[in-house]
């Protein structure tokens, strides 16, 4: 941690800040949108850090923080054994069609992918040891969809950030008032909310979805492409309490990552089964393709039989292997020579209401390559698009009734140390412009059967549909 290291086992009690090294020097306050003049050196601001010891229920803390009003716009991101809660943006980076705009510097034109321009904008953040949080839409990868004028990605750097873990809560704030407000909030007696869900009927639109799958199978037979992921939306007929839905849904899911956000006009809560990309500060990068699905019923004997069926199904194994092959090619393009490898192959991972075939592809980034270059290489992942991707985008736009938005996009957190962690947005509920919905898809290859692919979307929707809580309850 910049300014002062907090060593393993060292505790900073609530109300006591780290010592000298966290104050912004010489009175130079750089507000969002104000840059240092050319050649002018400045001392970056530092977060004031407070470690609150004790045992906390992370989901209860998340609920209390989100409902407190302290965060304004926010992103909650679960990774590993920690939940990160970030809000009250200091500044933001927005990706529009052909242009990256930032409160940290001038707008920059982009083509191909915007990620190098995003990285350059974040390099101007006037705070040390920052994290950025945000989302990117699936349509960012499609040149045709960019013309629609929708914002394609939105990241923010928070004024207030918390890391919740087994050893307590680390509060990072740019001003003492915010830190004190959080400590006061967390000192209050914990409540025990018991949200009452109204399950969403996922078995809708069966005929049109099966027809789309049949059309895709025919296109694959004509060798237009090898694989495409087709999805279908499911409307939610009431406004959703996203926070309550997240808490309840997370208690019934075992995701690779989870998230809750209200940022840039989008609200979403989800339980991602896989990561798009993981990169550490040393440049070790990996992606986690999941493709091939069977239900999880809760009956151990039946689930074991479904697992064996999944591993032996030629269609599922082919779909998975082709996804892994493309992931290897994409990471090879940004990795050091001979460093890309499949570190795990054809494992089976439980993910809420389903189990998936899972693999991991890893590399070491080549000299001069960054985590953002790697994100540009793999996003959106093959497991949410198809092979080849360009043909899959065109078929998705042809057969799906509306843009996907956040579905099959990413929610991510990135660090000033070069690290990046990006979750694939699946198994989620979305809310925007007075409308709420779910969405799920299935991988279609030449051997796909429309009835089975429709059933797979129902199995995936069962990770979220039973736990949706209306806003008025």
């Amino acid at each position: 941690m910049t300014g002062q290291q907090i060593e393993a086992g060292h505790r900073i009690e609530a109300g006591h800040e780290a010592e000298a090294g966290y104050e912004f020097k010489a009175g130079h306050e750089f507000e969002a949108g104000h840059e240092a003049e050319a050649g002018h050196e400045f001392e970056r601001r530092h977060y004031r850090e407070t470690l609150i010891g004790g045992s906390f229920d992370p989901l209860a803390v998340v609920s209390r923080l989100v409902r407190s009003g302290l965060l304004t716009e926010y992103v909650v991101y679960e990774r590993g054994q920690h939940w990160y809660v970030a809000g009250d943006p200091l500044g933001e980076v927005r990706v529009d069609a052909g242009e990256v705009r930032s409160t940290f510097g001038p707008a920059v034109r982009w083509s191909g992918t915007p990620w190098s321009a995003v990285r350059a904008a974040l390099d101007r953040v006037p705070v040390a040891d920052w994290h950025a949080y945000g989302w990117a839409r699936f349509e960012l990868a499609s040149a045709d969809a960019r013309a629609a004028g929708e914002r394609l990605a939105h990241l923010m750097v928070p004024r207030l950030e918390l890391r919740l873990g087994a050893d307590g809560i680390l509060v990072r704030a740019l001003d003492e008032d915010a830190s004190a407000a959080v400590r006061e909030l967390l000192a209050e007696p914990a409540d025990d909310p018991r949200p009452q869900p109204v399950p969403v009927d996922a078995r809708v639109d069966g005929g049109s979805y099966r027809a789309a799958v049949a059309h895709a199978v025919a296109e694959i037979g004509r060798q237009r492409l090898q694989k495409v992921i087709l999805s279908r939306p499911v409307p939610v007929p009431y406004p959703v309490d996203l926070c309550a839905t997240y808490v309840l849904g997370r208690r019934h899911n075992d995701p690779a990552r989870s998230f809750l956000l209200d940022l840039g006009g989008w609200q979403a809560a989800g339980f991602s089964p896989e990561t798009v990309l993981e990169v550490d500060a040393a440049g070790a990068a990996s992606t986690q393709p999941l493709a091939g699905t069977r239900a999880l019923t809760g009956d151990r004997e039946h689930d074991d039989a479904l697992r064996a069926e999944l591993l032996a199904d030629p269609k599922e194994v082919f779909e998975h292997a082709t996804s892994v092959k493309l992931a290897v090619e994409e990471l090879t393009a940004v990795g050091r020579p001979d460093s890309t490898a499949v570190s795990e192959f054809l494992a089976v991972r439980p993910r809420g209401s389903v189990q998936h075939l899972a693999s991991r592809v890893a590399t070491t980034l080549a000299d001069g390559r960054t985590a953002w270059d790697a994100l540009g290489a793999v996003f959106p992942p093959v497991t949410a698009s198809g092979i080849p991707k360009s043909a899959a985008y065109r078929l998705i736009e042809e057969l799906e009734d509306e843009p996907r938005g956040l579905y099959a996009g990413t929610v991510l957190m990135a660090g000033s140390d070069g690290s990046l962690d990006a979750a694939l947005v699946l198994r989620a509920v979305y809310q925007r412009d007075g409308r709420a919905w779910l969405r799920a898809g299935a991988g279609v290859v030449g051997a796909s059967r429309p009835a089975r692919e429709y059933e797979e979307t129902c199995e995936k929707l069962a990770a979220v549909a039973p736990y949706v809580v209306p806003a008025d309850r």
Side-chain angles (χ1 to χ4, degrees):
M1 299 178 186
T2 307
Q4 175 173 318
Q5 296 292 329
I6 300 177
E7 298 177 357
H10 181 69
R11 309 180 75 80
I12 298 179
E13 297 301 328
H16 290 77
E17 298 170 15
E19 296 177 0
Y22 286 94
E23 293 297 330
F24 184 62
K25 295 184 178 179
H28 293 293
E29 289 288 336
F30 282 83
E31 297 297 329
H34 293 263
E35 304 171 46
E37 297 178 1
H40 179 72
E41 294 185 2
F42 63 92
E43 188 75 20
R44 290 175 183 260
R45 297 173 66 186
H46 293 260
Y47 288 96
R48 302 166 182 264
E49 300 193 344
T50 303
L51 182 61
I52 305 174
S55 178
F56 296 88
D57 176 353
L59 291 172
V61 173
V62 165
S63 179
R64 183 177 296 185
L65 287 166
V66 166
R67 297 188 187 283
S68 70
L70 293 174
L71 301 177
T72 61
E73 291 189 301
Y74 62 83
V75 175
V76 176
Y77 193 80
E78 179 193 1
R79 181 184 72 179
Q81 302 302 310
H82 294 96
W83 272 259
Y84 296 83
V85 182
D88 190 13
L90 169 70
E92 60 188 20
V93 178
R94 305 178 301 276
V95 179
D96 299 314
E99 191 169 52
V100 172
R101 298 176 180 270
S102 169
T103 54
F104 304 117
V108 176
R109 300 292 298 174
W110 66 275
S111 60
T113 70
W115 300 118
S116 60
V118 169
R119 178 186 59 79
L122 290 172
D123 284 344
R124 295 174 176 268
V125 172
V127 179
D129 197 19
W130 53 259
H131 290 126
Y133 298 80
W135 51 260
R137 291 168 49 123
F138 176 81
E139 285 76 28
L140 186 148
S142 171
D144 292 340
R146 293 176 198 162
E150 292 272 4
R151 181 164 302 166
L152 298 170
H154 190 118
L155 283 76
M156 64 94 166
V157 175
R159 294 178 185 271
L160 178 63
E161 180 183 30
L162 293 87
R163 187 188 69 199
L164 317 179
D167 57 346
I169 301 174
L170 179 65
V171 181
R172 308 178 78 222
L174 287 178
D175 62 80
E176 170 55 20
D177 288 345
S179 181
V182 169
R183 298 196 301 267
E184 182 178 351
L185 181 73
L186 297 178
E188 297 174 359
D191 54 5
D192 185 20
R194 297 181 181 274
Q196 296 299 311
V198 174
V200 177
D201 181 7
R203 292 189 172 276
V204 296
D205 194 33
S208 60
Y209 183 78
R210 288 190 289 267
V213 171
H215 182 87
V217 170
E219 292 297 283
I220 292 168
R222 298 185 185 99
Q223 299 185 339
R224 179 177 172 184
L225 70 171
Q226 288 181 277
K227 172 184 175 179
V228 63
I229 286 74
L230 291 182
S231 68
R232 63 184 182 95
V234 174
V236 178
Y238 47 79
V240 176
D241 184 331
L242 270 295
C243 183
T245 300
Y246 174 73
V247 170
L248 184 62
R250 179 59 185 86
R251 296 198 191 281
H252 289 84
N253 276 276
D254 45 4
R257 301 289 187 271
S258 74
F259 56 86
L260 172 67
L261 64 87
D262 184 346
L263 180 68
W266 281 89
Q267 295 178 310
F271 318 104
S272 173
E274 65 184 281
T275 54
V276 178
L277 185 69
E278 301 166 46
V279 184
D280 67 17
S286 67
T287 188
Q288 184 188 37
L290 268 65
T293 306
R294 286 295 186 275
L296 277 176
T297 66
D299 181 318
R300 183 170 180 176
E301 184 175 343
H302 185 44
D303 289 342
D304 286 347
L306 289 173
R307 180 182 187 276
E309 179 184 300
L310 175 60
L311 285 164
D313 188 316
K315 177 264 178 187
E316 303 286 6
V317 172
F318 171 78
E319 178 190 345
H320 185 85
T322 56
S323 300
V324 173
K325 180 177 181 291
L326 182 56
V328 169
E329 293 170 357
E330 290 172 337
L331 280 189
T332 296
V334 294
R336 292 179 183 173
D338 302 320
S339 70
T340 306
V342 179
S343 58
E344 179 183 52
F345 187 62
L346 284 181
V348 178
R349 292 278 179 268
R351 291 290 184 257
S353 58
V354 296
Q355 49 191 324
H356 290 295
L357 294 177
S359 295
R360 183 171 292 276
V361 180
T363 196
T364 301
L365 295 179
D367 292 345
R369 295 287 195 169
T370 70
W372 300 100
D373 297 319
L375 184 60
V378 301
F379 180 82
V382 60
T383 52
S385 54
I387 304 171
K389 286 185 175 180
S390 57
Y393 299 150
R394 290 193 293 272
L395 192 57
I396 287 167
E397 290 167 8
E398 176 184 334
L399 295 178
E400 296 186 3
D401 291 339
E402 60 184 354
R404 289 180 168 185
L406 290 191
Y407 172 79
T410 186
V411 174
L412 62 85
M413 65 176 292
S416 58
D417 60 359
S419 61
L420 188 148
D421 195 275
L424 179 57
V425 179
L426 303 173
R427 317 297 147 77
V429 56
Y430 314 90
Q431 191 157 255
R432 189 182 185 204
D433 297 333
R435 174 181 168 230
W437 68 99
L438 314 177
R439 196 174 190 110
V444 180
V445 295
S448 288
R449 294 177 291 112
R452 170 57 204 155
E453 304 305 347
Y454 174 76
E455 190 63 29
E456 181 174 316
T457 66
C458 294
E459 292 166 357
K460 292 172 177 176
L461 287 163
V464 184
Y467 312 115
V468 181
V469 180
D472 60 358
R473 299 194 180 191

